[in-house]
Amino acid sequence: MQKILDAIQSPDSTPDDFAALPLPESYRAITVHKDETELFAGLETRDKDPRKSLHLDEVALPELGPGEALVAVMASSVNYNSVWTSIFEPVSTFSFLERYGRLSELTKRHDLPYHVIGSDLAGVVLRTGPGVNAWKPGDEVVAHCLSVELESSDGHNDTMLDPEQRIWGFETNFGGLAEIALVKSNQLMPKPDHLSWEEAAAPGLVNSTAYRQLVSRNGAGMKQGDNVLIWGASGGLGSYATQFALAGGANPICVVSSPEKADICRAMGAEAVIDRNAEGYKFWKDERTQDPKEWKRFGKRIREFTGGEDIDIVFEHPGRETFGASVYVTRKGGTITTCASTSGYMHEYDNRYLWMSLKRIIGSHFANYREAWEANRLIAKGKIHPTLSKVYSLEETGQAAYDVHRNLHQGKVGVLALAPQEGLGVRDEEKRAQHIDAINRFRNI
Ligand SMILES: C/C=C/C(=O)SCCNC(=O)CCNC(=O)[C@H](O)C(C)(C)COP(=O)(O)OP(=O)(O)OC[C@H]1O[C@@H](n2cnc3c(N)ncnc32)[C@H](O)[C@@H]1OP(=O)(O)O
Ligand SMILES: NC(=O)C1=CN([C@@H]2O[C@H](COP(=O)(O)OP(=O)(O)OC[C@H]3O[C@@H](n4cnc5c(N)ncnc54)[C@H](OP(=O)(O)O)[C@@H]3O)[C@@H](O)[C@H]2O)C=CC1
């Protein structure tokens, strides 16, 4: 592994040097164990502790198949899907690996008693499998997390619609929270050259998701002037949605839960910020009864910011707790676009406000390769910036996931894999200098 790291850190290394590097038989990786899926049985979601279920193991290097690449991972990041994996909710991810394993001889590799997790990486290509021409050993890359087979016609308009669509490192094995990862070559994208490894690894999953959900015609198709309600606006998804809204000439109405988070939103350029904690919204009177008066109070607050206008697009992901309010505050003909249900997936809303006012609910999930590419291109051009707040070592991934699970973090939390320290991998110092304040906006808050 040291030889791999030396090659990555030497400015003189050539593609041939990388191709000639011997690959190790095993590598260090963050895993969950199949014999521990009942570890938290009987506990409340909040009390399930990722520090207990995430392990740092030495695992065997998987065989490289056609159309695939092995990548030396310099850095990765924690996504909420890894929190779900670590608490075995809503289902154990081993059910996904078993199902994938039944597909073919090659996919059997994924069905193991351990799951190497993680859906982001920045690193260097070590080997490519047969049929890969666009990438070669030595390429500095980031990987998006869409894994598709594309044998069915269903996915050929929009690859997210492939019946065998999976999220790499969540529904497949050999993910990015590890020293080496196995990806399909059509997950690879160029690493933005003005960013360090950990900064480059941070946006991937959430940036691509927010791009499709908010900007793409497959999502809400945001346009200039739209009032966009963004839940969790300083969180993983929200910190990119806020940037897309601002960069696209829309008007973000940011919802957060603390004065510090409100300040981050203002630092990004947002003017309308609602601290849901300080203003004490209680959309549910009890576990089964919502409070439409609270929806209305929330809507009035929004109108104060917009000069009386209602919301064109809601960027939804908290789910059960907020969904009724989200549907209510949307304007006639407006859109609620949802990609998650962090607080509960059985939503309830008053359908009269949906049909009578001709509103639409759009389900959105990750992004196709083109959308991920466009989102990454905006990072590379310095139009959208990473929102990395804190960086942990691979050994500390459990703590990093705990922080995200307990909503103790801001923006994105990074993890160093092979990178021995932060700040390495920057190739364009001049471009970096132009954007340095924005790049560091979330750091150490
Ligand atoms: C990029 C990052 C993203 C995120 O972070 S997202 C957040 C994290 N992700 C999640 O929380 C999602 C986790 N996944 C799940 O909870 C489950 O994954 C799903 C609920 C999405 C799906 O559950 P399943 O059990 O896989 O799907 P079924 O469709 O219920 O399939 C079970 C059986 O039901 C059959 N079936 C499907 N549709 C129908 C139908 N319309 N009528 C009759 N049967 C149907 C199927 O074929 C299959 O059958 P057979 O078991 O025999 O293979
Ligand atoms: N389908 C897909 O493709 C994707 C789905 N997801 C899912 O989206 C969800 C959010 O992911 P991510 O943004 O990375 O997570 P983060 O935890 O980084 O951010 C979510 C933010 O949502 C806010 N929030 C949490 N709970 C509530 C609540 N009950 N009511 C209102 N606001 C709440 C919090 O902000 P604050 O406390 O400041 O209000 C929090 O910071 C997860 O469930 C994840 O699995 C994520 C990426 C892709």
Side-chain angles (χ1 to χ4, degrees):
M1 210 61 85
Q2 188 57 46
K3 284 190 179 144
I4 292 174
L5 186 56
D6 290 345
I8 293 171
Q9 296 200 268
S10 162
D12 303 325
S13 300
T14 64
D16 286 344
D17 293 336
F18 280 98
L21 279 172
L23 294 181
E25 284 179 3
S26 64
Y27 62 103
R28 294 188 320 148
I30 297 297
T31 64
V32 284
H33 295 177
K34 195 169 190 171
D35 60 6
E36 291 185 351
T37 55
E38 294 303 314
L39 189 65
F40 301 128
L43 292 182
E44 293 290 320
T45 297
R46 187 188 152 76
D47 298 328
K48 299 180 180 177
D49 189 339
R51 295 173 297 190
K52 295 190 175 141
S53 54
L54 294 181
H55 304 281
L56 179 58
D57 290 337
E58 190 77 23
V59 300
L61 190 74
E63 179 196 338
L64 178 65
E68 294 179 340
L70 285 167
V71 181
V73 183
M74 294 299 275
S76 183
S77 84
V78 173
N79 284 294
Y80 214 102
N81 64 350
S82 290
V83 173
W84 294 121
T85 305
S86 72
I87 61 174
F88 309 105
E89 285 195 27
V91 289
S92 155
T93 50
F94 288 100
S95 61
F96 304 142
L97 303 186
E98 284 165 16
R99 190 179 291 182
Y100 194 26
R102 288 196 290 271
L103 189 67
S104 73
E105 271 305 306
L106 201 61
T107 63
K108 259 189 204 159
R109 290 169 303 168
H110 291 259
D111 183 9
L112 294 169
Y114 58 85
H115 184 184
V116 178
I117 65 167
S119 303
D120 271 319
L121 71 73
V124 177
V125 174
L126 293 175
R127 290 281 194 283
T128 55
V132 178
N133 305 304
W135 304 94
K136 59 181 185 316
D139 285 344
E140 297 193 344
V141 293
V142 291
H144 71 75
C145 63
L146 170 60
S147 166
V148 282
E149 310 299 322
L150 289 179
E151 289 189 295
S152 154
S153 67
D154 292 2
H156 280 261
N157 269 344
D158 172 9
T159 52
M160 279 304 297
L161 299 184
D162 185 34
E164 300 296 339
Q165 178 272 320
R166 289 180 172 81
I167 298 299
W168 161 70
F170 180 65
E171 292 159 304
T172 79
N173 218 321
F174 317 121
L177 284 163
E179 292 175 332
I180 295 181
L182 180 76
V183 298
K184 296 194 188 258
S185 68
N186 59 19
Q187 289 177 242
L188 296 174
M189 308 189 291
K191 171 188 164 289
D193 53 10
H194 65 303
L195 300 179
S196 66
W197 297 111
E198 63 280 7
E199 289 162 356
L205 181 148
V206 284
N207 184 42
S208 309
T209 305
Y211 184 82
R212 179 182 176 110
Q213 189 177 348
L214 188 57
V215 180
S216 167
R217 273 169 289 179
N218 288 319
M222 184 193 80
K223 62 182 188 325
Q224 292 177 31
D226 278 350
N227 292 316
V228 183
L229 178 67
I230 302 172
W231 292 104
S234 71
L237 288 167
S239 58
Y240 294 89
T242 300
Q243 293 187 68
F244 285 129
L246 289 164
N251 174 32
I253 291 92
C254 296
V255 187
V256 291
S257 63
S258 74
E260 294 75 28
K261 291 180 173 187
D263 284 345
I264 299 179
C265 292
R266 290 190 194 98
M268 281 190 283
E271 288 169 9
V273 185
I274 296 175
D275 180 341
R276 66 181 170 101
N277 204 18
E279 297 185 20
Y281 296 104
K282 277 195 79 180
F283 300 129
W284 290 82
K285 286 185 199 161
D286 57 51
E287 274 197 6
R288 273 175 303 174
T289 325
Q290 297 208 50
D291 187 351
K293 283 205 193 87
E294 282 292 272
W295 301 345
K296 185 167 270 189
R297 181 163 77 91
F298 184 56
K300 275 189 182 161
R301 183 77 176 110
I302 291 167
R303 286 179 177 180
E304 283 172 21
F305 284 113
T306 58
E309 294 175 348
D310 291 330
I311 294 297
D312 295 282
I313 301 168
V314 184
F315 187 83
E316 245 293 337
H317 50 88
R320 183 171 174 80
E321 198 158 316
T322 55
F323 206 82
S326 291
V327 170
Y328 180 79
V329 300
T330 301
R331 73 182 281 241
K332 223 173 162 80
T335 302
I336 302 99
T337 171
T338 173
C339 75
S341 292
T342 314
S343 66
Y345 48 76
M346 296 306 268
H347 296 186
E348 196 178 278
Y349 62 89
D350 185 336
N351 200 37
R352 293 171 302 170
Y353 289 107
L354 191 86
W355 100 71
M356 293 299 284
S357 294
L358 301 102
K359 304 176 189 182
R360 296 183 304 157
I361 295 171
I362 296 181
S364 190
H365 187 38
F366 190 59
N368 62 38
Y369 192 9
R370 185 63 208 167
E371 290 162 336
W373 189 281
E374 287 172 7
N376 183 57
R377 175 173 167 269
L378 290 169
I379 301 277
K381 286 186 170 295
K383 304 264 185 206
I384 302 291
H385 304 286
T387 60
L388 187 66
S389 58
K390 199 167 176 183
V391 179
Y392 286 94
S393 65
L394 203 53
E395 290 82 351
E396 297 166 320
T397 304
Q399 181 63 43
Y402 176 87
D403 288 1
V404 175
H405 181 31
R406 299 300 285 265
N407 199 13
L408 302 171
H409 68 301
Q410 321 278 355
K412 289 291 301 176
V413 177
V415 174
L416 295 183
L418 284 173
Q421 66 198 63
E422 294 181 41
L424 304 175
V426 177
R427 306 296 179 223
D428 186 340
E429 293 285 1
E430 204 178 315
K431 196 202 296 181
R432 182 178 181 79
Q434 284 169 21
H435 301 293
I436 194 66
D437 290 346
I439 292 168
N440 286 330
R441 188 167 284 140
F442 280 66
R443 292 309 294 255
N444 304 317
I445 296 171

